[in-house]
Amino acid sequence: MVTPVTFKKSAEVTEETCREAGMTIAELLGRVGGKWTIFVIIMLSEGPRRFSELKRDIEGISQKVLTSTLRDLEKDGFVTRKVTPSIPPRVDYALTELGQDLRGPLMALSSWAVVNRNRVAAAREAFEARQTEEPAKIAYFR
Amino acid sequence: MVTPVTFKKSAEVTEETCREAGMTIAELLGRVGGKWTIFVIIMLSEGPRRFSELKRDIEGISQKVLTSTLRDLEKDGFVTRKVTPSIPPRVDYALTELGQDLRGPLMALSSWAVVNRNRVAAAREAFEARQTEEPAKIAYFR
DNA sequence: CAGCATCCTTCACGATACTG
DNA sequence: CAGTATCGTGAAGGATGCTG
């Protein structure tokens, strides 16, 4: 099974459109490139979650970072924050329509990472090997 | 015109596959999320470039950062580095096949950023507005 | 429970100077 | 030209303690 993802050619990214778009792309990558952002989005892709659920299921994240990550995503309109003023309080987070829309290209990139992990790993080993040997350099002048 | 991009469902990214993939996705986003990485990839998408060309055309980047960005991309196998030991020296950078492959999902995400920039901007303004007002809070208890 | 406040460490990025 | 070396800075992330 194949999930098709399309995007308009008119939105093609070149050196030209890059200047025109200003820092838009870098901004998005900066946001999405946060250490934990992608995991939060993946979690919320499966449905709304409470703060404590996210905290528990995303192993290793601190509550401070989770809070700021969610706040940033809220600012950009990717998630909603619904407070239920009970005791104890309850806060539910969910993806907005904008957040859902982002999933397509983001998951495409994630899938690429998973599918091509071996190629990257191989490239890293090859690079390491190149650095370790370094044979013909001094010998060249003898 | 529409450029279709497809990816296998088998590479779907869920909470499960996320653990299984370890930090792969976060690693890629970390690399690609570097402040200048995307611009370097976009430049090289149009063909091989010399170091000085990249330095000149990517406004604002320092040579130190450009060097390390290119070195990182080389380590992961996204670009090649070809040295011509002339005087003055000449170094050409180009995308590898792996780097070319990455362009698809990366440009899809970039296009999304360009197309949806207004929605994000609107969301930010709405968020700001929400913070500025903050009316029903004390009044609620009177 | 869901945070905010505070302090601390690390590191990406930047500016500058020097070199084969 | 294409780097390396060094120093400085701010922002991101993390640990801990306190609170409505």
Side-chain angles (χ1 to χ4, degrees), chain B:
Chain B
M1 181 183 174
V2 173
T3 306
V5 178
T6 63
F7 62 96
K8 292 187 185 304
K9 169 96 175 179
S10 64
E12 190 186 12
V13 179
T14 63
E15 194 187 336
E16 274 66 40
T17 62
C18 185
R19 298 185 192 292
E20 164 191 319
M23 297 298 286
T24 313
I25 304 164
E27 269 180 55
L28 179 66
L29 281 172
R31 173 77 5 115
V32 147
K35 192 173 178 181
W36 300 101
T37 312
I38 184 92
F39 296 118
V40 172
I41 293 178
I42 289 173
M43 284 283 318
L44 294 180
S45 291
E46 298 162 11
R49 290 281 188 283
R50 295 186 59 172
F51 183 89
S52 52
E53 292 179 306
L54 293 170
K55 174 81 173 64
R56 186 185 337 109
D57 293 343
I58 304 176
E59 255 170 89
I61 195 171
S62 68
Q63 84 282 47
K64 178 198 163 186
V65 172
L66 178 57
T67 300
S68 73
T69 299
L70 287 166
R71 201 68 81 245
D72 287 341
L73 287 172
E74 191 194 357
K75 278 181 199 170
D76 287 349
F78 296 127
V79 309
T80 55
R81 180 172 179 270
K82 193 178 69 180
V83 181
T84 307
S86 54
I87 294 182
R90 174 198 178 97
V91 181
D92 290 272
Y93 292 91
L95 284 187
T96 60
E97 202 183 310
L98 189 65
Q100 292 288 351
D101 286 359
L102 179 61
R103 283 190 61 223
L106 204 52
M107 293 306 102
L109 190 63
S110 299
S111 297
W112 191 95
V114 174
V115 171
N116 294 282
R117 57 191 304 187
N118 293 330
R119 294 171 75 188
V120 173
R124 283 181 185 162
E125 283 179 35
F127 184 87
E128 286 298 321
R130 254 175 283 154
Q131 301 312 91
T132 311
E133 37 172 278
E134 201 81 26
K137 192 175 184 181
I138 307 294
Y140 195 79
F141 296 102
R142 289 221 39 173

Side-chain angles (χ1 to χ4, degrees), chain A residues 3-127:
Chain A
T3 306
V5 178
T6 64
F7 62 95
K8 290 187 187 306
K9 170 94 175 180
S10 63
E12 190 185 14
V13 179
T14 63
E15 194 184 337
E16 275 67 39
T17 62
C18 186
R19 298 185 192 291
E20 163 191 321
M23 297 297 287
T24 314
I25 304 164
E27 269 180 56
L28 179 66
L29 282 173
R31 172 76 5 114
V32 147
K35 193 173 177 181
W36 301 99
T37 312
I38 184 97
F39 296 117
V40 171
I41 293 177
I42 289 174
M43 284 283 318
L44 293 180
S45 291
E46 299 163 7
R49 290 281 188 283
R50 295 186 59 172
F51 183 88
S52 52
E53 293 180 307
L54 293 170
K55 174 81 175 62
R56 186 187 335 111
D57 293 344
I58 304 175
E59 254 170 89
I61 195 172
S62 68
Q63 85 282 49
K64 178 198 163 186
V65 172
L66 178 56
T67 299
S68 73
T69 300
L70 286 166
R71 201 69 81 246
D72 287 341
L73 287 172
E74 191 194 355
K75 278 181 199 170
D76 287 349
F78 296 126
V79 308
T80 55
R81 179 172 180 270
K82 193 178 69 179
V83 180
T84 305
S86 55
I87 296 180
R90 174 198 178 98
V91 182
D92 291 270
Y93 292 92
L95 285 187
T96 60
E97 204 183 308
L98 189 65
Q100 291 289 351
D101 286 359
L102 179 61
R103 283 190 61 221
L106 204 52
M107 292 305 101
L109 189 63
S110 299
S111 296
W112 190 95
V114 174
V115 171
N116 293 282
R117 57 189 305 187
N118 294 330
R119 294 171 75 187
V120 173
R124 284 182 184 162
E125 284 179 35
F127 184 86

